[in-house]
Amino acid sequence: MSLTMRPLALTINGKAFGPVDVPEGLMMVDFLHEYADLTGSRFGCGIGVCHACVVILDGARGSEEIRTCITGAHFFNGKTIRTVEGHAKYDEHGEVVELSAIQQKFLEHYSFQCGYCTPGFVNGATVLVERLKREPVARDQVEQTISAALNPHICRCTGYVRYYEAVKDVILSTPGLVKAGS
């Protein structure tokens, strides 16, 4: 990592952050933990395989998952991201008053064991649901669609079934995500 510092400014969870001087070559997961005090994105494998570290990058074409353990912080300069901390709604005191639909269903289905991979699954499922709002899926393709979206995420505790069932519950209970008449 270079010791050369460069300014970085971005929007995180709807709030402007920076500019702040950050070392060139600093990975985004480290920036989130050390500069933004957002520790929900987990450092798992460090090589971009497990997806525990993903954040949501919001762009003109919609949202996408970005692995922060292999993506430098300066890649995000001027961009808008969401971390797992940005999904719930908070009151003026910073207390959670409402979970996102994904978070709520993960709790209802007890979709985690140790919880280390959960932030990545929450972000991955959120990106999937947002995509289905734009491009609904046929009912007979729901399970295949969930598998395609979540297969890159690794859970060492093998909690996959519960994650998948929770996401399926969200998709089938949210109007407009499944094509009408399918």
Side-chain angles (χ1 to χ4, degrees), residues 7 11 27 32-33 35 44 51 56 60 67 69 71 74-76 93 95 131 136 144 147-148 158-159 164 180:
T11 302
M27 292 298 116
L32 290 170
H33 291 191
Y35 288 80
H51 287 74
I56 300 172
R67 295 167 288 172
C69 72
T71 307
H74 285 97
F75 168 82
F76 296 93
H93 305 292
E95 298 294 322
R131 188 187 77 202
Q144 179 182 0
S147 290
T158 68
Y164 285 54

Side-chain angles (χ1 to χ4, degrees), residues 133-145:
K133 287 179 181 178
R134 296 184 312 274
E135 305 166 12
V137 65
R139 183 173 295 277
D140 66 348
Q141 295 296 309
V142 168
E143 290 181 12
Q144 179 182 0
T145 301

Side-chain angles (χ1 to χ4, degrees), residues 116-167:
Y116 203 81
C117 64
T118 304
F121 274 97
V122 168
N123 286 337
T126 299
V127 168
L128 171 61
V129 167
E130 291 172 357
R131 188 187 77 202
L132 293 178
K133 287 179 181 178
R134 296 184 312 274
E135 305 166 12
V137 65
R139 183 173 295 277
D140 66 348
Q141 295 296 309
V142 168
E143 290 181 12
Q144 179 182 0
T145 301
I146 295 167
S147 290
L150 297 184
N151 274 350
H153 293 264
I154 295 174
C155 172
R156 293 185 57 129
C157 300
T158 68
Y160 296 107
V161 171
R162 291 180 178 169
Y163 282 122
Y164 285 54
E165 289 300 319
V167 174

Side-chain angles (χ1 to χ4, degrees), residues 51 54-57 63-67 120 123-125 127 149 153:
H51 287 74
V54 297
V55 297
I56 300 172
L57 175 65
S63 57
E64 64 180 299
E65 294 177 68
I66 302 289
R67 295 167 288 172
N123 286 337
V127 168
H153 293 264

Side-chain angles (χ1 to χ4, degrees), residues 8-147:
L8 173 63
L10 68 155
T11 302
I12 305 173
N13 299 329
K15 297 177 183 170
F17 191 93
V20 60
D21 285 337
V22 175
E24 287 184 5
L26 183 73
M27 292 298 116
M28 186 59 167
V29 69
D30 297 319
F31 171 82
L32 290 170
H33 291 191
E34 302 300 325
Y35 288 80
D37 198 29
L38 296 169
T39 58
S41 297
R42 308 303 173 107
F43 183 84
C45 66
I47 58 173
V49 174
C50 74
H51 287 74
C53 68
V54 297
V55 297
I56 300 172
L57 175 65
D58 291 313
R61 297 181 304 195
S63 57
E64 64 180 299
E65 294 177 68
I66 302 289
R67 295 167 288 172
T68 62
C69 72
I70 60 169
T71 307
H74 285 97
F75 168 82
F76 296 93
N77 192 43
K79 297 181 176 160
T80 299
I81 66 166
R82 286 177 280 157
T83 68
V84 71
E85 293 93 344
H87 296 293
K89 292 181 183 167
Y90 299 85
D91 65 17
E92 64 276 2
H93 305 292
E95 298 294 322
V96 174
V97 293
E98 182 182 347
L99 297 174
S100 72
I102 295 291
Q103 291 169 317
Q104 186 60 48
K105 290 298 182 187
F106 278 16
L107 282 175
E108 290 173 14
H109 286 264
Y110 199 71
S111 299
F112 44 84
Q113 289 182 42
C114 80
Y116 203 81
C117 64
T118 304
F121 274 97
V122 168
N123 286 337
T126 299
V127 168
L128 171 61
V129 167
E130 291 172 357
R131 188 187 77 202
L132 293 178
K133 287 179 181 178
R134 296 184 312 274
E135 305 166 12
V137 65
R139 183 173 295 277
D140 66 348
Q141 295 296 309
V142 168
E143 290 181 12
Q144 179 182 0
T145 301
I146 295 167
S147 290

